Amino acid sequence: MGLLTGKTALITGAARGIGKAIALRFAAEGANIAFTDLVIDENGKATEAEIASLGVKAKGYASNAADFAQSEEVVKQVKEDFGSIDILVNNAGITKDGLMLRMTEAQWDAVIGVNLKSAFNFIHACVPVMMRQRGGSIINMASVVGVHGNAGQANYAASKAGMIALAKSVAQEMGPKGIRANAIAPGFIDTAMTQELSEEVRKEWMNQIPLRRGGTVDDVANCAVYLASDLSSYVSGQVIQVDGGMNM
């Protein structure tokens, strides 16, 4: 039996990237997987099939995570389709970088909406389900820039700092109900997005990392398994930095 056998995980923004890696890792540990993305296109269907091939139930839901009503409806559907929601991973996120003097209101609003408001939306919808079950694990995908900030990413850093504070607040409110909430703060992770950076920028990043390498999506997914499973049954309100020691 896997560490998550018999559990249902709902992961937002999981058709690709870190979210997909978490979904596959959870499935390998026996969890049934419900995931969302803005649209469930061919890529989303392929992700659904890949997860299901591991012998678990999997279903993708088209949803704008920043939309409160859509999020409530998705959670209702997942509860009907799967019977329970034991794990929530708030992973949906975007970037619209720019220096503060040039950042537009639209750039600010879009990032705060998708990254932070989406987490509120799904936590608000899932907490009643978890309360009735007398337990659950909520994981917010933050970032090291949510801990120490980053020039040119004021909107993104603010949204990720908000994700950390949100997890800590929910941990305090929901602890008596057996619900845990934590945050993961990845550092420089090798993804399609970071691979587009110049070699010079990548080397500059690596020199700031004691382990002298970028992280992998599996490094993040392994941390998520720990926080989702009973291995971390006494861990709540914490931020785990998966960053190779970059931000101590």
Side-chain angles (χ1 to χ4, degrees):
M1 283 179 56
L3 290 169
L4 304 177
T5 297
K7 295 182 183 292
T8 294
L10 171 55
I11 307 168
T12 65
R16 59 188 65 77
I18 289 174
K20 179 180 176 180
I22 291 172
L24 289 169
R25 187 73 178 81
F26 281 10
E29 291 293 343
N32 295 314
I33 306 295
F35 68 93
T36 75
D37 216 76
L38 199 55
V39 293
I40 301 299
D41 52 14
E42 287 183 9
N43 182 66
K45 288 293 184 185
T47 296
E48 186 178 275
E50 191 175 348
I51 296 168
S53 72
L54 295 172
V56 299
K57 182 175 180 178
K59 186 172 180 180
Y61 298 80
S63 166
N64 176 2
D67 186 292
F68 184 84
Q70 284 188 39
S71 302
E72 295 269 329
E73 185 58 35
V74 165
V75 170
K76 181 182 174 184
Q77 275 300 127
V78 172
K79 179 67 168 63
E80 287 180 10
D81 294 341
F82 288 81
S84 69
I85 301 173
D86 306 288
I87 303 154
L88 170 65
V89 181
N90 289 305
N91 172 73
I94 60 170
T95 57
K96 289 187 180 292
D97 297 347
L99 295 171
M100 177 56 72
L101 286 173
R102 298 193 186 97
M103 184 173 290
T104 65
E105 182 183 13
Q107 285 175 306
W108 176 272
D109 287 349
V111 170
I112 296 297
V114 174
N115 296 10
L116 181 56
K117 184 170 184 285
S118 66
F120 162 74
N121 292 344
F122 275 88
I123 291 172
H124 187 273
C126 285
V127 157
V129 178
M130 291 180 172
M131 286 175 67
R132 287 192 292 273
Q133 296 168 181
R134 297 294 300 171
S137 175
I138 297 168
I139 302 169
N140 282 355
M141 295 304 302
S143 167
V144 291
V145 305
V147 178
H148 61 71
N150 196 34
Q153 285 192 308
N155 51 1
Y156 185 77
S159 73
K160 294 304 185 179
M163 292 279 274
I164 291 170
L166 178 59
K168 288 177 175 287
S169 299
V170 171
Q172 292 181 41
E173 286 186 28
M174 293 294 123
K177 305 297 183 184
I179 300 169
R180 299 181 295 111
N182 294 284
I184 297 175
F188 188 91
I189 305 298
D190 274 319
T191 63
M193 184 173 67
T194 56
Q195 284 164 11
E196 291 177 5
L197 297 172
S198 69
E199 191 59 32
E200 183 181 350
V201 170
R202 288 176 62 85
K203 282 182 178 176
E204 189 178 331
W205 270 95
M206 297 307 168
N207 287 335
Q208 298 174 37
I209 302 169
L211 289 183
R212 293 295 188 268
R213 69 171 179 88
T216 68
V217 292
D218 288 332
D219 289 325
V220 180
N222 287 337
C223 182
V225 168
Y226 168 71
L227 291 176
S229 75
D230 291 340
L231 290 176
S232 61
S233 62
Y234 201 54
V235 177
S236 194
Q238 303 305 306
V239 185
I240 300 181
Q241 297 180 149
V242 183
D243 64 1
M246 181 176 70
N247 184 41
M248 297 190 201

